[in-house]
């Protein structure tokens, strides 16, 4: 398994943010300004931007900018360590 480090994580987040784009799982726009945590709590914001690994680390994917794409926290948490998300926003299954 690939070890993550904060320097590479910050580099990936900045690279994906600069490149922009919609959530690669649900296809909806991503608001890159939403903070990760809901203010005043330690709970992740479901609409927050995260970097998803196209090929999960668990499946041998690299922890670098070529394997990172934008996603909502809620979408990425549903996908988990799968190669493909089992559900798509357009179907209404994520709501």
């Amino acid at each position: 398994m690939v070890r993550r480090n904060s320097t590479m994580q910050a580099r990936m987040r900045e690279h994906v943010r600069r490149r922009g784009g919609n959530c690669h799982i649900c296809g909806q726009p991503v608001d890159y300004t939403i903070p990760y945590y809901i203010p005043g709590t330690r709970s992740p914001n479901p609409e927050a931007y995260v970097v998803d690994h196209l090929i999960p680390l668990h499946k041998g994917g690299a922890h670098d900018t070529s394997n990172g794409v934008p996603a909502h926290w809620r979408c990425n948490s549903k996908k988990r360590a799968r190669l493909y998300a089992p559900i798509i926003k357009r179907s209404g299954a994520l709501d």
Side-chain angles (χ1 to χ4, degrees):
M1 177 175 273
V2 176
R3 289 185 53 113
R4 301 180 202 207
N5 68 55
S6 58
T7 303
M8 179 51 94
Q9 189 69 16
R11 186 178 302 145
M12 284 180 68
R13 286 184 58 79
E14 180 58 25
H15 175 77
V16 171
R17 187 193 61 76
R18 245 180 303 145
R19 194 172 59 198
N22 294 338
C23 174
H24 90 100
I25 297 170
C26 72
Q28 298 297 310
V30 173
D31 184 349
Y32 295 94
T33 62
I34 295 175
Y36 182 79
Y37 290 112
I38 296 171
T41 71
R42 296 295 293 169
S43 300
N45 187 328
E47 296 299 315
Y49 147 67
V50 297
V51 175
D52 182 31
H53 293 91
L54 271 175
I55 301 171
L57 299 178
H58 185 72
K59 305 280 187 197
H63 186 60
D64 61 27
T65 56
S66 66
N67 193 30
V69 292
H72 296 111
W73 182 89
R74 65 178 160 78
C75 298
N76 194 35
S77 67
K78 298 274 187 192
K79 179 183 173 223
R80 300 189 333 219
R82 299 179 185 124
L83 288 174
Y84 300 101
I87 47 182
I88 298 174
K89 173 72 174 164
R90 288 180 297 237
S91 70
L94 279 177
D95 291 330

